[in-house]
Amino acid sequence: MAATTLGLALLALPAAAAEIKARAEYMVTMGGTHIANVRINLSDNGSAYSLVLDAKITGLAQLVASGTAKATSTGTSTDKGLRSQKFDILTRAGGEDFTSAVTYAGGTVDTFKVAPPIVNNIDRVAIERKHLTTANDMLAPFVLKGAALDQQLCNRQMPIFTGVERFNLSLKYVKDDTATSKRTGYQGPLVLCSMHYTPISGHYTNNEITTYLAKNERILVWYAPLKAQGYYIPYRALVTTEAGDLSVVLTDISE
């Protein structure tokens, strides 16, 4: 009897989390024109994660601009999601580099540094300490964790600090959907969320893009499941702009 009880108890224990490795590739278009490629690598052992993003302007966009970006996010992984401890980004455009480095502790911004420094003037909303007591980086919140691919995935707030700006992204469930195109990296069930952008601080009050995004009611993100149970990544993102739809679509996924 004791052996049976022990056996049942062992079966009830959670299995050790296997390390998850996934690579997702995305194509970015503006008004139907291919402008950039993005690759994201995710590694998660159940307690700690690493996210690396590489982006490059490509296609016809290279005729008018050139640029690359690399961002790295590392931190803790829980059943509720990814929580950043360290975030770095380097962008190169027009022969100039920009870097931002942020550290987080317990969900609060600990340190941040950008180079070259951001110009502060009367139009820039000051970043206050109270704005940084709850924040994550700009990569970690987009990898969702949940029990199922359903509307609960969309019911969340994303408080984000990039080293330059502090803003909130609010997700709201729209509908269940299905990916059918053979030209994308995934075919199967999706959940569609709408997203609302709310600037908090660090932005310029006269910035047209900030104002437009804050008023935009058509920012959409479709989520797809990874093979690893409980993990979900963006399949597609769509932002309506005056220059046409800005679209990010998953073109390849490997796990």
Side-chain angles (χ1 to χ4, degrees):
M1 182 68 178
T4 301
T5 302
L6 178 59
L8 291 173
L10 290 173
L11 288 173
L13 291 175
E19 185 171 7
I20 295 164
K21 289 185 178 294
R23 184 185 69 188
E25 297 189 12
Y26 295 87
M27 180 172 67
V28 184
T29 60
M30 172 65 81
T33 300
H34 184 190
I35 61 170
N37 291 327
V38 178
R39 174 180 293 177
I40 299 176
N41 286 285
L42 165 67
S43 177
D44 188 338
N45 65 10
S47 61
Y49 79 89
S50 171
L51 273 168
V52 179
L53 176 149
D54 287 284
K56 183 178 181 180
I57 291 177
T58 189
L60 293 176
Q62 291 178 309
L63 298 177
V64 295
S66 63
T68 62
K70 182 166 186 177
T72 302
S73 169
T74 57
T76 59
S77 176
T78 72
D79 58 352
K80 294 182 179 180
L82 308 183
R83 174 62 65 182
S84 181
Q85 293 178 329
K86 189 173 186 293
F87 173 76
D88 298 278
I89 186 169
L90 165 64
T91 65
R92 287 178 173 157
E96 297 183 355
D97 289 0
F98 173 81
T99 62
S100 175
V102 188
T103 63
Y104 308 79
T108 295
V109 175
D110 191 24
T111 65
F112 66 96
K113 182 179 180 180
V114 298
I118 302 298
V119 175
N120 286 314
N121 59 36
I122 195 172
D123 294 318
R124 189 177 186 219
V125 179
I127 299 172
E128 300 179 28
R129 171 51 60 181
K130 65 181 180 181
H131 300 152
L132 306 180
T133 55
T134 301
N136 208 346
D137 68 34
M138 60 186 290
L139 291 183
F142 284 92
V143 176
L144 304 186
K145 288 190 175 183
L149 182 69
D150 59 21
Q151 66 185 63
Q152 293 304 314
L153 285 178
C154 297
N155 296 333
R156 64 186 69 217
Q157 302 283 328
M158 297 178 176
I160 294 174
F161 181 65
T162 65
V164 176
E165 296 184 36
R166 169 71 175 84
F167 55 88
N168 289 338
L169 296 177
S170 304
L171 292 185
K172 183 179 179 181
Y173 173 77
V174 177
K175 66 176 183 177
D176 294 341
D177 208 344
T178 304
T180 59
S181 175
K182 299 298 182 182
R183 294 181 295 176
T184 64
Y186 167 81
Q187 295 82 44
L190 303 167
V191 64
L192 171 58
C193 313
S194 64
M195 180 178 288
H196 182 70
Y197 164 84
T198 304
I200 303 297
S201 59
H203 61 284
Y204 294 92
T205 56
N206 60 352
N207 186 285
E208 293 182 2
I209 295 177
T210 298
T211 302
Y212 182 83
L213 288 175
K215 294 180 178 180
N216 196 332
E217 297 297 330
R218 193 166 183 261
I219 305 176
L220 304 172
V221 183
W222 288 257
Y223 271 91
L226 291 179
K227 291 179 182 177
Q229 187 174 1
Y231 288 78
Y232 308 89
I233 64 170
Y235 164 78
R236 186 187 181 197
L238 182 69
V239 181
T240 298
T241 76
E242 294 178 350
D245 285 344
L246 175 65
S247 177
V248 183
V249 178
L250 180 71
T251 56
D252 189 58
I253 179 74
S254 59
E255 298 183 58

